[in-house]
């Protein structure tokens, strides 16, 4: 994406509607240190997709591309992804019985889905898609970061959210047809995996 200012405005707006982590990233991250990417079909120029809110059905398999990006990223031992879930609260009973409950992390009453570890890099794309779909549909955000040792258990604290922001490599937010994503990536920290 060559119009970085437009992409940054859109991303900050999407993040400001999200969780505590999303708002923290929106308020403190210098987006000029990364580059913006978006998957668009061949033949569709950037001038046709300048408004990321505009409904454009891209006819691609962007969710699978995101699932593969997540898998490629977490294949390194110190890489992790948090996917926000603005619709689920930490007190909901179904959370204890959900298929991927071991991935749930909470901050106050917020829920995040943690993807980390090489074993998750090897799961089928469809299973990673089921994890991605645990996150909120609108707004959708996921955070790629360099993992540092964290406290045991499923609860996050403010210090850990600050660590995620400090070690942030990439951010993906929903765009266009709500099956597509605008991605900010710090290539100076980690080359883009795909």
């Amino acid at each position: 994406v060559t119009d970085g200012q437009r992409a940054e405005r859109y991303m900050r707006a999407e993040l400001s509607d999200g969780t505590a982590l999303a708002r923290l990233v929106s308020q403190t991250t210098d987006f000029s240190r990364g580059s913006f990417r978006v998957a668009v079909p061949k033949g569709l120029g950037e001038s046709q997709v300048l408004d990321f809110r505009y409904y454009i059905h891209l006819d691609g398999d962007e969710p699978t591309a995101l699932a593969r990006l997540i898998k490629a990223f977490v294949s390194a031992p110190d890489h992790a992804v948090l996917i926000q879930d603005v619709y689920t609260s930490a007190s909901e009973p179904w959370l204890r019985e959900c298929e991927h409950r071991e991935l749930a992390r909470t901050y106050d009453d917020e829920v995040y889905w943690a993807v980390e570890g090489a074993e998750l890099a090897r799961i089928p794309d469809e299973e990673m898609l089921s994890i991605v779909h645990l996150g909120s549909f609108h707004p959708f955000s996921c955070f790629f970061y360099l993992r540092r040792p964290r406290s045991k258990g499923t609860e996050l604290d403010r210090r850990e959210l600050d660590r995620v922001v400090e070690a942030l490599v990439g951010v993906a937010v929903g765009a266009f047809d709500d099956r597509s994503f605008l991605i900010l990536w710090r290539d100076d920290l980690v080359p883009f995996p795909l």
Side-chain angles (χ1 to χ4, degrees), residues 21-69:
L21 176 58
R23 292 188 305 275
L24 188 60
V25 167
S26 176
Q27 295 163 359
T28 63
T29 300
D30 179 2
F31 288 3
S32 69
R33 298 182 71 191
S35 58
F36 289 97
R37 291 175 168 86
V38 65
V40 294
K42 192 173 183 177
L44 187 64
E46 183 180 343
S47 62
Q48 295 170 276
V49 293
L50 283 178
D51 186 354
F52 300 103
R53 284 187 177 86
Y54 182 70
Y55 184 86
I56 298 174
H57 186 66
L58 299 181
D59 289 328
D61 195 0
E62 292 83 12
T64 299
L66 180 66
R68 289 178 180 159
L69 173 64

Side-chain angles (χ1 to χ4, degrees), residues 144-162:
F144 299 78
Y145 66 101
L146 301 174
R147 183 174 51 146
R148 298 188 174 119
R150 60 180 294 282
S151 60
K152 299 292 182 197
T154 61
E155 291 185 22
L156 302 170
D157 59 25
R158 177 56 192 255
R159 193 173 59 242
E160 289 177 76
L161 294 187
D162 289 336

Side-chain angles (χ1 to χ4, degrees), residues 61 63-65 67 123-134:
D61 195 0
T64 299
I123 65 175
D125 291 347
E126 298 76 27
E127 189 173 348
M128 183 56 73
L129 268 173
S130 71
I131 294 169
V132 168
H133 291 313
L134 288 170

